[in-house]
Amino acid sequence: LCSICIRFSYEIAKKNQLTFVQRGDKVTITTFPGESFDNPYTLNTTDICPVGALTNQDFRFKSRVWEMSKTNSICVGCSRGCNTEVWVRNNEILRLTPRHNEDVNSYWMCDKGRLETFKNVNAGNRIDGTFIRREGQLQKVSWSEALNVAAKSLKNYKSEEIAFIGSAYATCEDNYELIKFAKSLGVTNIDYADHIISGDQDDILIREDKTPNSLGAELVGVHPGSSGMNISAILKGIIEGKIKALYVMEEDAASFNEEWESTIGKLDLLIVHASNENRTTVLADIVFPASTFAEKNGTFVNFQGRVQRIRPAVATEEMDRALDGMEMSRWDKFGTEYDRWMQGHKYDSKPSWKIFVGLSQLLGFKMKFNMAEEIFAEISNSISAFKGLDYDDVGELGAQLKIKLTAKL
């Protein structure tokens, strides 16, 4: 027997939990007496086992490798931004595996990032289409109707009565378009929420910041404008009746705390972008279905100031795997519409930036983008931290931004 998993346990994961027993012709690998193999990095052993003796129970027997497409992406579980590969069959994510990047995560990723960051993409509570509240109930409507109602509704409020909440879960491109749209309305009440779990961090990969793009959101300008309200002041403004309309992008604001959940109901207008149903969508007046990280192009900036790309691995209604240049498996290339493995559901969702473009056109604002790459080009031209960069420069392994990192980030 080799000892790769044993060496990984104590050299990389820093947990000496595995050992040989019955050395000789009956040698086997097991845990030390009184120990269990339960460190945060156990599933990396399934990647490095040379004979496949160790397997991932979450993925075991689900698919052959050639039946799946493999798309390079970024883990959204924390601000480390581990490089990953997204494996998809029949338009459903079956597993994530780490991708080598010596500047970020080497060859590894944590078990939580591997198992818990993609299940929402094909979950039963996905928001599939646009919804408007009528007679106390959210009813499904067309995109054009939802966009028109949202645009007309926002016109009914003064700029100081509106607030926007961006998201450290959303891409730089999504957050940049939120800022442009808010400024077009004259709104300065803009902020995003931190998602820090104090103490949940190690010196290997795991970070306390459980979002992939808090630094990116900060860099593109998701913070209060001159005399604008921050996240706590927005809450106070809602309570006092000063904020009457709230626009929430890819955040579950009602889950921030009990006070937020009880206060949001006082709003005259609540517009939400969300990929899955949550406490905020239940209270919303208008819900737009936002594409997940696995359904769009974009960039995240990790805590080290490294900008990295995500790419669509799962197709939405407006996308075609072949025509949009997505990665394709053998099944994707040779399957037909009559094959059962080509019947995977496509959700009716759009990237948040594209929703803002649609609203801007109805309101007469100049915001004409067709691709996320065009937005990144404008970010590169207008924000010094990204100066001179394009998607080709970011490439597969990311690009280091020339910025001074603060202690907070």
Side-chain angles (χ1 to χ4, degrees):
L1 291 181
C2 77
S3 59
I4 292 178
C5 55
I6 295 175
R7 289 184 57 201
F8 173 84
S9 179
Y10 72 83
E11 290 182 15
I12 304 299
K14 311 298 183 185
K15 298 288 186 180
N16 196 11
Q17 296 171 323
L18 298 178
T19 186
F20 285 127
V21 294
Q22 294 182 302
R23 291 175 183 267
D25 64 341
K26 292 183 173 59
V27 62
T28 58
I29 295 173
T30 187
T31 57
F32 280 105
E35 287 279 356
S36 58
F37 193 41
D38 60 356
N39 70 70
Y41 300 94
T42 58
L43 288 173
N44 288 286
T45 59
T46 67
D47 300 324
I48 60 177
C49 181
V51 296
L54 301 174
T55 57
N56 178 348
Q57 188 175 8
D58 188 66
F59 172 71
R60 187 183 300 158
F61 308 133
K62 284 187 176 180
S63 178
R64 302 290 188 184
V65 172
W66 56 83
E67 298 168 356
M68 300 181 290
S69 61
K70 179 181 69 173
T71 305
N72 290 346
S73 191
I74 302 298
C75 178
V76 296
C78 78
S79 60
R80 172 69 61 178
C82 290
N83 288 214
T84 62
E85 294 169 336
V86 181
W87 298 78
V88 172
R89 186 185 70 178
N90 200 20
N91 214 42
E92 178 183 0
I93 300 176
L94 297 184
R95 69 172 178 177
L96 300 184
T97 55
R99 177 166 55 92
H100 179 232
N101 188 336
E102 206 57 46
D103 293 316
V104 181
N105 59 301
S106 189
Y107 295 92
W108 324 116
M109 69 185 299
C110 74
D111 292 351
K112 187 172 183 178
R114 187 189 297 254
L115 298 176
E116 299 181 15
T117 58
F118 71 89
K119 300 294 176 66
N120 68 301
V121 177
N122 296 104
N125 67 344
R126 276 299 298 270
I127 297 172
D128 199 3
T130 51
F131 291 81
I132 293 177
R133 186 171 298 279
R134 287 176 176 155
E135 297 178 357
Q137 299 292 322
L138 285 172
Q139 298 180 7
K140 191 170 185 178
V141 297
S142 67
W143 273 95
S144 60
E145 183 176 355
L147 289 168
N148 273 291
V149 170
K152 290 178 182 178
S153 298
L154 288 168
K155 288 180 179 179
N156 295 329
Y157 301 93
K158 299 176 182 177
S159 58
E160 61 269 20
E161 295 176 331
I162 305 172
F164 281 77
I165 297 180
S167 176
Y169 294 107
T171 63
C172 294
E173 291 80 358
D174 292 330
N175 280 294
Y176 181 77
E177 287 303 282
L178 176 141
I179 293 298
K180 285 195 69 174
F181 183 70
K183 288 182 176 179
S184 297
L185 290 169
V187 176
T188 59
N189 304 317
I190 309 167
D191 207 355
Y192 72 95
D194 290 321
H195 293 273
I196 307 294
I197 301 180
S198 299
D200 187 12
Q201 181 170 306
D202 60 28
D203 59 358
I204 304 172
L205 296 178
I206 299 171
R207 303 290 301 174
E208 289 181 335
D209 182 356
K210 301 308 175 184
T211 65
N213 198 37
S214 57
L215 180 51
E218 186 73 27
L219 289 173
V220 301
V222 185
H223 47 69
S226 177
S227 71
M229 299 179 182
N230 62 15
I231 196 82
S232 57
I234 290 172
L235 174 62
K236 185 178 179 182
I238 298 171
I239 295 172
E240 295 175 350
K242 296 178 181 178
I243 298 296
K244 298 179 180 179
L246 181 64
Y247 202 122
V248 181
M249 181 189 73
E250 299 185 42
E251 266 288 6
D252 187 6
S255 293
F256 290 165
N257 54 49
E258 291 181 0
E259 189 174 16
W260 267 99
E261 186 170 19
S262 61
T263 301
I264 280 182
K266 299 178 180 179
L267 289 163
D268 293 340
L269 176 66
L270 175 60
I271 303 176
V272 178
H273 294 195
S275 60
N276 299 74
E277 295 172 2
N278 56 43
R279 293 181 184 178
T280 308
T281 62
V282 170
L283 300 170
D285 297 295
I286 303 171
V287 179
F288 290 108
S291 297
T292 66
F293 78 97
E295 297 166 326
K296 61 185 176 183
N297 284 291
T299 53
F300 294 138
V301 181
N302 75 353
F303 79 102
Q304 298 165 311
R306 191 173 193 84
V307 58
Q308 303 184 103
R309 278 198 64 187
I310 58 171
R311 298 165 177 81
V314 174
T316 59
E317 273 194 11
E318 66 175 3
M319 301 165 68
D320 181 273
R321 189 169 288 278
L323 296 178
D324 287 296
M326 297 171 66
E327 295 294 334
M328 298 178 68
S329 69
R330 188 183 303 177
W331 279 12
D332 295 325
K333 292 176 182 176
F334 302 111
T336 71
E337 60 181 303
Y338 304 106
D339 294 312
R340 58 181 172 80
W341 59 82
M342 300 293 288
Q343 305 299 318
H345 183 69
K346 291 184 177 182
Y347 290 98
D348 183 13
S349 64
K350 298 179 187 292
S352 284
W353 66 262
K354 190 170 286 189
I355 298 170
F356 288 124
V357 169
L359 286 170
S360 296
Q361 291 172 349
L362 292 173
L363 291 167
F365 303 148
K366 294 181 179 180
M367 197 185 292
K368 297 180 180 179
F369 297 104
N370 296 311
M371 299 186 297
E373 189 171 1
E374 295 173 354
I375 302 172
F376 190 80
E378 183 170 309
I379 293 173
S380 177
N381 291 328
S382 59
I383 299 176
S384 60
F386 297 87
K387 188 176 181 180
L389 291 176
D390 59 27
Y391 272 11
D392 289 336
D393 296 319
V394 176
E396 301 293 343
L397 300 178
Q400 188 65 37
L401 301 180
K402 296 178 181 180
I403 56 175
K404 185 177 180 180
L405 300 175
T406 66
K408 176 187 175 183
L409 298 171

